[in-house]
Structure formats: structure tokens, C-alpha cells
Amino acid sequence: MKKVLVTGGAGYIGSHTVVELFNHGFIPVIVDNFSNSDERVLQGLEDILGFKPILYRSDCADYQSLKDVFQAETPDAVIHFAAFKAVGESTQQPTRYYRNNIDSLLTVLELMEEFQVRDIVFSSSCTVYGQPDELPVSETSKQKDATSPYGYTKQVCERILMDACVARPELRCVLLRYFNPIGAHPSGLIGELPFGIPNNLVPYIAQTAAGIREKLVIHGNDYQTADGTCIRDYIHVCDLAMAHVRALEWIDLQTCACEAFNLGQGQGNSVKEVIDTFISVNNVPVRFEIGPRRTGDVEQVWADATKAQRVLNWKTEKSLAAALQDTWRWQQHLSK
Ligand code: NAD
Ligand code: WQD
């Protein structure tokens, strides 16, 4: 059984990936400093798996701490989720974002070289495309300037990985560009745990439905879309987690690799459609009003995800409705 170091494995996408790794015969080893995660995820993971996963409370930008983990565990591969991810916050604290997101990747890469680990799957983002010129966005679409320091960290990290692959041809690297991850594990035992007021649409809807927020503000309904609200490609977090398993299986068959893949449904939904679907599938009211546009928002974006289907043998299995039902189950679990 292959041992996979999962940096940021106590986070939203990392924790769901830990479950899928176990389900598919891998041994995940979580490394997380809990800078943006909560102890409650550990109980949820234990309840789903039936045992406590291996966990190191370490900062993966700290060379010595991470070296101790490599020494103790001798992993076969790394999935690197650990990063700060709030777009707005990154514009307020750019140095903190560049420091954490880039240092953590560099430290991981240095230790992979030292311990002769060849395989890395990196959490990238549709944000690397900036404001897209063409829809759907494919992996070969032009990458514009990122629209935030966070987005630049993803562009820079992808570049670092590409350069590392040139220098070390034995490396096998997959860059996964997530579109908009939503939903929770169908058990309702793990999900997204945003600290403070959520920035993202679906956690905000769920907290409004739960009465934690008074009302949701739709950021603009005067866009050039059918109902005037922005369009995104929402993907269930469990589908996303499965893509990491497929990526590990695929790189294992390659002699060398440095490939990027879009991960999305391959279709878009508007903000209004997401709200309406949440209300109808969960039979719960959500108060909302129309507000002004949010600075920096792209009008519409969705993925061409056919490369992941063709090469990784991966595609989404779960619908928007299922994701929003799972979100609500998780929100109710949190409110218990
Ligand atoms: P998250 O914040 O829930 O998870 C990230 C985890 O990394 C957290 O548990 C945090 O405590 C940990 N972490 C951060 N810095 C660390 C460090 N230096 N050392 C150890 N642990 C550290 O975020 P997420 O939504 O699960 O995102 C995971 C990855 O996917 C991130 O790289 C993010 O940029 C990327 N991504 C997320 C989205 C999204 O919308 N959620 C979209 C595209 C890409
Ligand atoms: C979705 C839509 C909002 C909140 C972000 C990052 C991106 C990637 C995914 C990491 C937009 C609207 C939202 C609200 C609203 N993350 N909205 N009211 O901005 O597409 O992408 O997460 O890599 O880099 O930028 O996601 O969930 O914030 O917004 O109307 O209270 O919902 O305007 O149209 P976004 P989001």
C-alpha cells in the first residue's frame, strides 16, 4: 500500500481526499498546522473511517518539522493542499500569502528531493486563468495576470513545479486546477468549516438557511447572463477528492510527467440557480437580496474538463442538487 503525505489534510478538500485515499487502498498521512482547520474534522474522519488517521501537527513551511515527518513516514507520494486560500484576505496580507503558499511548496520539493520521492499532486485553481477570453476554459487557454496575490501564488507554484520537473526528470507531477468546490461528505460528518463570515457562496447560503446569517446578498444581477447573476462551475468535493486518487494512479504509470488538469462539471450554474436549488432540494427558506457587483468577480467561467476524463479516467458523478443536500446535512450536523 502506498503512503501519501497529505499536507493540509485537515482542511476542507484535504479531509475528503483522506477518506477517498483510504477507500482506494492508499495510506494517507496528514500534515497540518491547523491554521485554517478545526479539531472537529478529526472526530468526523474517525467516525467515517472507524479509526484515527495518522496526523502530524506541523507547519510544512518549517523545514525541520517536515523533515521529521519524511524521516518517520518515508512517503511514496505527496498531495500538497496546504496553503492560505482567501482571495480578499490575500490582497490585505500579500506577504503572508506569498510566504506561506510558496515556502510550503519549496520545502515540500526540497524534502522530496532529499528523500527521493517522485510523485506530487498539487492543488491549483481556476484562478490561474484570470479573466478568461474563451469558454469553456481548457488547460491550454491563455493564462492572464492573476487577479489577486492568492492567484499569483498558484501561478508561481505551478511554474516552480514545471521548473522542478525540467531539473529532475524523474519527478511525476500533476497540477489539478479546481473550479468551485462545494458540498460535503454524504455522511454529514465532515465538510467545510469556514472561520468567521464565509466569503464563498455555498457556505454563506447554508449559514443563512441555518439562521446564523440574516440574509445573503447576491453580488449583482446585471451581468450578461440569462438571469443576470454570475456563472460558475460548481463541483462536489467528493468528486474532487476522487480526482486525486485517479491522479496518483495515473502518475504511477508514467516515467515522467508534469500535466495540468481542469476539475469541474464542465458546465456552469448561476448564483440564482444555486440558491433556488438549495431551497427546493432542502425545503428550507433562504433570505436574499440583490446587492452591487463584487469587485474582481468574473462574469462567467466553467471548465472544459474533458482532458481529465480522457487521461485520468475521471469525471464528476454528483449533481449540484446532491452537493447542496450534502452541504445542508453538514450544516445541520454543525448546528447540533
Ligand atoms: P482549507 O483552508 O480548508 O485547507 C487548507 C489546509 O492547509 C488547512 O487545514 C490549513 O490549516 C492547512 N495549512 C495552511 N498552511 C499550512 C502550512 N504552512 N503547514 C501546514 N498546514 C497548513 O482549504 P481547502 O479549500 O481545503 O483548499 C485546499 C487547497 O486547494 C488549497 O491549496 C487551496 O488554495 C486550493 N483550492 C481551493 C479552492 C476552494 O475553493 N476551496 C479552489 C481552488 C483551489
Ligand atoms: C461564487 C459566486 C459571487 C458570495 C473563489 C476564488 C477562486 C477559487 C474558488 C480558490 C460569485 C457570488 C458569493 C455571496 C454572492 N478558490 N456570491 N454572494 O469567487 O467564483 O471563486 O473560490 O482557488 O479562486 O476566487 O467563488 O463562492 O466566492 O463566489 O452573490 O455572499 O457567488 O459574486 O459570482 P468564486 P465564490
Side-chain angles (χ1 to χ4, degrees):
M1 281 169 92
K2 292 210 161 179
K3 199 176 262 188
V4 184
L5 208 70
V6 186
T7 74
Y12 173 44
I13 305 167
S15 56
H16 291 79
T17 303
V18 163
V19 172
E20 291 306 333
L21 287 170
F22 265 119
N23 289 343
H24 292 82
F26 294 89
I27 305 171
V29 174
I30 300 173
V31 182
D32 204 299
N33 65 359
F34 288 82
S35 53
N36 194 44
S37 42
D38 191 301
E39 296 294 323
R40 279 175 287 177
V41 71
L42 301 178
Q43 189 58 55
L45 280 174
E46 191 179 340
D47 291 344
I48 293 169
L49 299 169
F51 54 89
K52 288 184 204 297
I54 308 168
L55 164 73
Y56 291 84
R57 288 167 198 277
S58 305
D59 187 328
C60 58
D62 177 340
Y63 174 82
Q64 194 53 54
S65 314
L66 197 62
K67 183 170 182 175
D68 292 345
V69 180
F70 270 80
Q71 234 146 16
E73 299 291 344
T74 57
D76 300 291
V78 178
I79 305 182
H80 184 53
F81 291 105
F84 295 149
K85 65 163 180 180
V87 173
E89 189 182 64
S90 79
T91 63
Q92 307 298 315
Q93 304 174 8
T95 46
R96 189 169 157 260
Y97 270 68
Y98 283 113
R99 171 71 77 194
N100 190 54
N101 293 6
I102 294 173
D103 268 8
S104 61
L105 176 65
L106 292 175
T107 311
V108 165
L109 280 175
E110 279 168 4
L111 286 162
M112 284 177 63
E113 185 161 5
E114 218 173 308
F115 286 82
Q116 292 173 14
V117 179
R118 297 175 62 197
D119 298 346
I120 180 164
V121 177
F122 175 70
S123 292
S124 190
S125 167
C126 61
T127 192
V128 298
Y129 297 111
Q131 296 263 351
D133 284 335
E134 53 182 23
L135 287 169
V137 179
S138 85
E139 291 81 357
T140 50
S141 296
K142 188 173 160 36
Q143 288 194 16
K144 305 278 209 51
D145 280 354
T147 50
S148 70
Y150 166 75
Y152 274 114
T153 71
K154 292 297 175 192
Q155 289 184 336
V156 170
C157 286
E158 285 202 1
R159 182 58 203 243
I160 289 169
L161 283 159
M162 288 173 199
D163 289 345
C165 287
V166 173
R168 280 185 69 203
E170 73 278 15
L171 274 181
R172 302 187 291 190
C173 170
V174 171
L175 311 168
L176 296 181
R177 296 177 181 156
Y178 315 152
F179 279 65
N180 286 57
I182 59 164
H185 193 265
S187 64
L189 295 169
I190 55 170
E192 194 167 6
L193 270 169
F195 287 156
I197 302 172
N199 297 307
N200 297 118
L201 177 65
V202 170
Y204 209 109
I205 294 175
Q207 291 195 4
T208 307
I212 300 166
R213 310 282 154 211
E214 192 197 335
K215 58 177 182 288
L216 171 83
V217 177
I218 296 181
H219 299 319
N221 69 345
D222 57 351
Y223 287 98
Q224 297 297 309
T225 60
D227 64 20
T229 66
C230 289
I231 292 176
R232 296 287 182 274
D233 187 333
Y234 296 95
I235 172 174
H236 195 297
V237 67
C238 292
D239 280 335
L240 198 56
M242 257 316 291
H244 295 76
V245 172
R246 294 279 172 255
L248 286 176
E249 291 168 348
W250 177 76
I251 35 178
D252 201 32
L253 303 173
Q254 314 304 310
T255 41
C256 60
C258 190
E259 278 307 318
F261 297 95
N262 284 344
L263 300 180
Q265 293 260 18
Q267 65 165 62
N269 289 102
S270 74
V271 172
K272 191 68 176 48
E273 279 170 346
V274 175
I275 299 168
D276 290 345
T277 307
F278 187 96
I279 292 170
S280 71
V281 296
N282 295 314
N283 197 22
V284 59
V286 176
R287 279 191 67 202
F288 63 87
E289 65 180 31
I290 308 298
R293 291 182 175 197
R294 184 171 73 175
T295 313
D297 262 343
V298 175
E299 179 176 274
Q300 35 189 330
V301 59
W302 64 90
D304 174 346
T306 51
K307 182 179 174 190
Q309 180 164 3
R310 191 169 24 90
V311 178
L312 300 180
N313 191 27
W314 170 90
K315 64 179 174 50
T316 56
E317 305 282 344
K318 290 170 179 274
S319 63
L320 176 69
L324 297 173
Q325 281 174 316
D326 291 337
T327 299
W328 185 228
R329 196 173 300 112
W330 163 240
Q331 183 63 53
Q332 287 172 300
H333 174 77
L334 277 178
S335 307
K336 275 183 197 156

